[in-house]
Amino acid sequence: MGRGKFRIYLGAAPGVGKTYAMLSEAHRRVERGTDCVVGFVEHYDRPRTEVMLHGLETVPRQELQYRGTVFTEMDVDAVLARRPAVALVDEMAHTNVPGSRNAKRWQDIEELLQAGIEVISTVNIQHLESLGDVVESITGVRQRETVPDEIVRRADQIELVDMSPQALRRRLAHGNVYKPDKIDAALSHYFRPGNLTALRELALLWVADRADEYLRQYRGEHGIRSTWQARERIVVGLTGGPEGRTLIRRAVRLAEKGAGGEVLAVYIARSDGLTSASPKELAVQRSLVEDLGGTFHHVVGDDIPSALLEFARGVNATQIVLGSSRRKTWQYVFGPGVGATVARESGPDLDVHIVTHEEAAKGRGLPVARGARLGRSRVLWGWLCGVAAPVLLSLLLSELHNTLGLANDVLLFLFLTVMSALIGGLLPALGSAAVGSLLLNYYFTPPSHTLTVQDPKNLVAIVIFFAVAVSVASVVDLAARRTQQAARLRAEAEILSFLAGSVLRGETTLEALLERVRETFSMESVALLERESDVDPWTPAASVGPQPVDRPESADVDMPVGDHMALALSGRVLPAEDRRVLAAFAAQAAVVLDRQRLVGEAEQARALAEGNRIRTALLAAVSHDLRTPLAGIKAAVSSLRSDDVEWSEEDRAELLEGIEHGADRLDHLVGNLLDMSRLQTGTVTPLIREIDLDEVVPWALVGVPEGSVDLDVPETLPMVAVDPGLLERAVANIVENAVKYSPEDRRVTVAASALGERVELRVVDRGPGVPDDAKDRIFEPFQRHGDAPRGAGVGLGLAVARGFAEAMGGTLDAEDTPGGGLTMVLTLPAASGRAPARPESPARIGT
């Protein structure tokens, strides 16, 4: 049983008339004989809506008691038992009373759809989950009842119900929406003109985005090629902090304002331990961005601004969305922050949005040591703090005639040694200890300005200072290294966890996996190379990035995978600790390659099985369908040659007509069998040339009964680039099929029209039609829909027609005819020129 169709009336605001529109559609369907019932409709005592319920069958509601009060909800079991063709279910974002079958009404609707019942429902734009925070900021009202956007997007039809803010306020003032005692409050709060205008804009933008999805799907299915507006790619920089959800929703709204916008959320795992990312929060943010149609990326980078900009430029992003810094004012002494650095270095090709949030300036904790990978600037500052600062301190204390005493002097120099260890690591700290010891001896131990130590106690103090300084520097450096290692291991664990998850879900293609390797290690190109044996040359199994290498020896990094496969990376040399993760990626790449090849082999096996099925069906057709006309011809010829019967002229004419009819049927069947054989073996080679449709289509109608077809081919149509012979056979098969199933008193319409760089030929019949789940099957070989008689053909006509259409670069699809029937849409590529106007050629021809 197929899934039922789903139609939604989307309201721009409460009171625009979405329920009224739904009930109007129900009345239209009832008038056409459709079995339509009301599952749940709330009229809220609105007179016009209540009147629309008259004449519609209503399924009794289910009564539930909750906290001493009786509530009514839709009785899902009753609707399923009634099993109508169409069910009306109002307010799909509604939360059911505790104790109901499902927590949400949209879950009730999902059950009806799964049961094959068509559902018509309503929802307001403010109830969409992705718009919850923006609606609250506009209206000041938090919508507690929401529905996931994906549920609404999966609807087969979405119709926007909208009106101007002024008209809606007039409806409200006239008492058509709320009771009189609520009108003034509603007009002064929720239904203010600004609120309604903003909600209307949200609804229009959301529906426009949905229309773009339909249009892109249609253009892809029909092979339409033309210039598209540049896609907006928005990169969201995540830190794992609580502000990430706000940034993701903001980026999604930015993407929805442009055609085909794409959101890419990226988390950059630093190896210096300066991140406070919560794995749980990152998992929630990843789920959120994927639910809203975006993608999540995990990248390792020591310099976050550079890694973020490199990722954005690598994916050809146009905008970057970042949150305001969570650091407090005094913490800016450690640097300008990621947002300011990215904005400064983004250049003119990237727009950077800094989004405020509730966590801004609330602090992110004290920074900790950065470990071994500090960079040249950090090491330089460490040496300055460890060497230059003690010299300056000595000069300052000498000028001030130091009276602090040696113990305090030792503590001051020890402080500078610790600072140099925090900033520059172990070597600057050791240098600071040595320099500090010499300066203490030279300036602050008697006799001054000599390296001689007169008092043994001072010598002991200097020695202890040096030992403590070296010990503290070693401990600080060791802690920094451990922090760096822990952060790196955590980043590696997160990457490997993602890799394992993708393996289990089977989501990653080989190219996507190599792109993930390139992003993770900031490489220019990545290639998976393989060879048959040790002496054979390397061949690329897959590659990403510009100018991939063709052998492992030419790569900056190569990772062997078994004996005859290697992962080759170009761009920079990786440190040894990165090769562990790279080895996991390489092993996964080999697994994915094997899986793809197994899928290809399975597809080949499926093709062979399909070929065997067609050959079996061909033998059945030869044994039955071809023998039927042959038997008729044989019987007629034998009768004519019989000397026992004296045939009249009328009888002879009838027998000859039967012979001719059988021969025509036999010729048609054999022609389709040969055409199908050519398509299956791939030997159809179209001879494309420019021609007018009205030169080919009339010849395709020669075999149909006279007066059964209306032909409408405007003379202003552009020429088409096709093979005339293949086009004639395709159109003939389509029209013959339409005439076969169309009632005798209804003509088949064959109409042509131009659509951009394509020309459409529509063959419209008024027959019984075809269900949606069978529209693709009717184009399969040896398929006859419904109860078509055995002698009506072998079921190859539409399969041959689609094969010929695709061979010429066109498409053939089936659509429902409004009012009943089936419409075959043959789409053909238009030629570069247009057909000249010919006044003597009629625009409409009847056959």
Side-chain angles (χ1 to χ4, degrees):
M1 180 182 299
R3 178 182 172 88
K5 290 186 177 180
F6 190 20
R7 178 169 183 167
I8 295 177
Y9 285 91
L10 179 65
V16 294
K18 62 185 185 302
T19 303
Y20 189 94
M22 177 182 69
L23 294 174
S24 299
E25 174 65 17
H27 280 285
R28 287 191 292 270
R29 298 203 180 195
V30 169
E31 291 174 0
R32 294 197 297 264
T34 303
D35 182 15
C36 183
V37 302
V38 176
F40 189 101
V41 170
E42 188 63 67
H43 55 74
Y44 297 109
D45 295 327
R46 297 170 185 170
R48 297 186 179 181
T49 305
E50 189 173 0
V51 169
M52 293 297 294
L53 286 170
H54 296 166
L56 296 177
E57 179 185 349
T58 302
V59 177
R61 300 184 184 182
Q62 179 184 16
E63 293 187 354
L64 297 170
Q65 189 170 8
Y66 180 66
R67 292 183 178 179
T69 306
V70 177
F71 298 86
T72 59
E73 295 287 2
M74 181 176 68
D75 193 339
V76 180
D77 291 325
V79 177
L80 293 173
R82 171 62 176 77
R83 195 163 190 81
V86 180
L88 309 183
V89 183
D90 203 8
E91 302 291 350
M92 66 178 298
H94 170 75
T95 301
N96 293 329
V97 175
S100 301
R101 183 188 185 97
N102 295 301
K104 291 285 189 176
R105 185 166 293 163
W106 61 263
Q107 296 171 328
D108 296 337
I109 293 174
E110 281 293 311
E111 282 200 39
L112 300 182
L113 294 173
Q114 291 294 337
I117 300 174
E118 183 175 352
V119 177
I120 305 177
S121 187
T122 64
V123 70
N124 283 330
I125 191 67
Q126 70 266 22
H127 293 295
L128 297 184
E129 189 171 278
S130 66
L131 301 177
D133 55 348
V134 68
V135 171
E136 181 180 10
S137 65
I138 293 171
T139 64
V141 178
R142 182 65 180 181
Q143 299 294 333
R144 301 188 181 277
E145 294 186 330
T146 60
V147 60
D149 292 45
E150 185 60 26
I151 300 298
V152 181
R153 289 183 180 275
R154 286 207 303 260
D156 299 283
Q157 296 182 56
I158 299 177
E159 183 170 336
L160 178 64
V161 183
D162 180 32
M163 64 173 56
S164 67
Q166 295 78 11
L168 181 54
R169 284 172 60 86
R170 283 196 300 271
R171 288 195 63 193
L172 192 69
H174 292 161
N176 294 329
V177 180
Y178 294 145
K179 294 181 179 180
D181 58 338
K182 297 182 179 180
I183 292 176
D184 291 338
L187 287 173
S188 59
H189 292 89
Y190 194 94
F191 287 81
R192 288 178 294 182
N195 290 357
L196 296 178
T197 301
L199 292 175
R200 188 185 194 194
E201 183 179 13
L202 285 176
L204 291 172
L205 289 173
W206 198 92
V207 175
D209 178 65
R210 176 67 171 167
D212 280 337
E213 292 179 8
Y214 280 133
L215 183 58
R216 287 195 299 272
Q217 180 182 0
Y218 178 83
R219 292 167 66 88
E221 292 175 351
H222 292 75
I224 301 174
R225 300 290 183 269
S226 61
T227 303
W228 278 95
Q229 179 181 343
R231 295 188 64 184
E232 288 286 348
R233 284 187 174 88
I234 303 174
V235 171
V236 186
L238 301 179
T239 65
E243 76 281 0
R245 306 183 198 183
T246 301
L247 302 183
I248 291 171
R249 292 191 177 98
R250 176 68 172 175
V252 169
R253 292 196 296 272
L254 287 174
E256 288 178 347
K257 293 182 179 179
E262 184 179 358
V263 175
L264 301 92
V266 57
Y267 168 67
I268 300 176
R270 294 171 60 166
S271 60
D272 54 13
L274 276 181
T275 178
S276 58
S278 166
K280 181 179 180 181
E281 181 64 25
L282 272 180
V284 171
Q285 293 173 13
R286 176 176 180 173
S287 299
L288 177 61
V289 71
E290 291 177 349
D291 289 343
L292 296 178
T295 56
F296 183 88
H297 302 263
H298 194 131
V299 176
V300 175
D302 291 322
D303 187 349
I304 288 185
S306 299
L308 181 61
L309 288 171
E310 186 174 355
F311 174 83
R313 293 191 175 101
V315 298
N316 197 27
T318 58
Q319 302 179 57
I320 298 178
V321 175
L322 299 173
S324 297
S325 178
R326 288 185 283 135
R327 297 190 296 178
K328 294 183 181 294
T329 304
W330 64 269
Q331 291 177 312
Y332 281 95
V333 298
F334 298 101
V338 174
T341 305
V342 170
R344 183 181 67 247
E345 299 179 359
S346 61
D349 57 335
L350 274 172
D351 295 334
V352 179
H353 301 267
I354 305 296
V355 179
T356 59
H357 51 86
E358 295 179 353
E359 302 297 324
K362 289 187 177 180
R364 50 182 301 177
L366 289 173
V368 296
R370 293 200 176 186
R373 289 188 183 180
L374 300 173
R376 292 183 178 180
S377 61
R378 284 294 297 272
V379 174
L380 177 60
W381 279 104
W383 280 108
L384 289 175
C385 182
V387 177
V391 173
L392 294 176
L393 177 61
S394 300
L395 295 176
L396 177 63
L397 294 176
S398 298
E399 291 293 329
L400 297 176
H401 304 289
N402 179 34
T403 59
L404 297 177
L406 183 60
N408 291 325
D409 295 336
V410 169
L411 291 177
L412 290 174
F413 280 91
L414 183 61
F415 172 75
L416 294 179
T417 301
V418 173
M419 288 300 298
S420 65
L422 289 171
I423 297 175
L426 180 61
L427 291 179
L430 295 177
S432 177
V435 172
S437 301
L438 294 175
L439 291 175
L440 283 170
N441 185 9
Y442 187 80
Y443 283 101
F444 305 109
T445 58
S448 300
H449 301 96
T450 67
L451 296 178
T452 302
V453 181
Q454 190 176 36
D455 189 348
K457 294 180 180 180
N458 294 335
L459 179 61
V460 172
I462 293 174
V463 171
I464 292 176
F465 161 75
F466 183 80
V468 170
V470 171
S471 300
V472 170
S474 300
V475 171
V476 170
D477 183 74
L478 180 61
R481 289 177 182 274
R482 292 291 183 265
T483 302
Q484 184 266 341
Q485 292 173 1
R488 181 171 191 84
L489 291 174
R490 182 177 64 185
E492 291 180 359
E494 291 174 352
I495 292 175
L496 294 175
S497 174
F498 166 79
L499 193 61
S502 65
V503 173
L504 294 175
R505 293 190 299 268
E507 297 173 349
T508 305
T509 64
L510 184 56
E511 288 74 14
L513 180 64
L514 297 184
E515 182 64 28
R516 177 71 65 176
V517 174
R518 192 180 71 85
E519 289 178 359
T520 300
F521 298 103
S522 299
M523 289 293 180
E524 294 179 359
S525 63
V526 179
L528 183 63
L529 306 176
E530 62 176 348
R531 59 182 179 180
E532 294 294 332
S533 65
D534 294 337
V535 297
D536 290 326
W538 292 95
T539 58
S543 62
V544 294
Q547 299 179 348
V549 298
D550 55 0
R551 55 182 186 148
E553 295 80 8
S554 304
D556 294 315
V557 181
D558 70 284
M559 176 59 64
V561 188
D563 295 332
H564 303 125
M565 188 176 294
L567 193 63
L569 294 79
S570 299
R572 65 186 181 93
V573 178
L574 286 180
E577 57 266 26
D578 284 342
R579 296 182 67 86
R580 181 171 62 252
V581 177
L582 182 60
F585 274 109
Q588 172 62 11
V591 172
V592 172
L593 179 61
D594 290 340
R595 185 171 60 205
Q596 287 187 353
R597 287 176 174 170
L598 288 175
V599 170
E601 293 175 1
E603 184 65 23
Q604 292 179 359
R606 189 200 63 79
L608 291 175
E610 178 67 14
N612 290 332
R613 187 186 70 84
I614 290 177
R615 280 190 288 271
T616 302
L618 179 61
L619 291 175
V622 171
S623 64
H624 185 281
D625 294 278
L626 295 183
R627 291 177 62 184
T628 300
L630 281 175
I633 294 173
K634 173 67 174 176
V637 171
S638 298
S639 299
L640 288 173
R641 296 188 60 185
S642 175
D643 296 332
D644 299 336
V645 180
E646 185 69 25
W647 302 101
S648 64
E649 291 297 326
E650 292 80 3
D651 293 334
R652 286 179 176 273
E654 184 176 351
L655 290 173
L656 291 174
E657 182 180 357
I659 294 172
E660 182 180 16
H661 178 68
D664 290 340
R665 283 184 57 195
L666 190 60
D667 178 70
H668 181 73
L669 292 174
V670 171
N672 276 336
L673 290 171
L674 293 176
D675 290 338
M676 198 67 233
S677 175
R678 292 167 59 199
L679 289 171
Q680 290 294 323
T681 56
T683 58
V684 176
T685 305
L687 302 176
I688 304 298
R689 67 184 181 91
E690 297 181 359
I691 193 170
D692 290 313
L693 273 181
D694 57 5
E695 295 182 15
V696 179
V697 176
W699 288 101
L701 307 182
V702 173
V704 299
E706 184 176 354
S708 60
V709 177
D710 284 336
L711 180 61
D712 184 7
V713 181
E715 61 183 12
T716 56
L717 284 178
M719 303 176 76
V720 291
V722 297
D723 183 315
L726 296 184
L727 177 60
E728 180 183 340
R729 293 297 302 272
V731 175
N733 285 349
I734 297 170
V735 174
E736 288 176 6
N737 183 79
V739 172
K740 182 193 306 180
Y741 288 99
S742 189
E744 295 183 359
D745 57 341
R746 303 294 297 273
R747 291 189 174 191
V748 172
T749 301
V750 180
S753 60
L755 181 65
E757 299 177 356
R758 318 286 288 180
V759 174
E760 279 190 355
L761 185 70
R762 306 179 74 88
V763 179
V764 183
D765 69 60
R766 297 293 180 178
V770 176
D772 290 340
D773 56 356
K775 282 187 172 62
D776 286 332
R777 289 203 306 271
I778 61 176
F779 294 104
E780 296 177 3
F782 303 102
Q783 293 290 325
R784 289 178 296 189
H785 176 62
D787 56 352
R790 184 69 180 171
V794 294
L796 287 176
L798 294 182
V800 170
R802 172 173 273 190
F804 283 171
E806 293 175 350
M808 295 183 292
T811 59
L812 178 61
D813 299 297
E815 298 178 357
D816 290 328
T817 301
L822 189 67
T823 298
M824 291 290 175
V825 183
L826 177 62
T827 306
L828 303 168
S832 56
R834 299 184 68 86
R838 297 181 300 278
E840 70 276 11
S841 178
R844 187 175 183 87
I845 306 171
T847 72

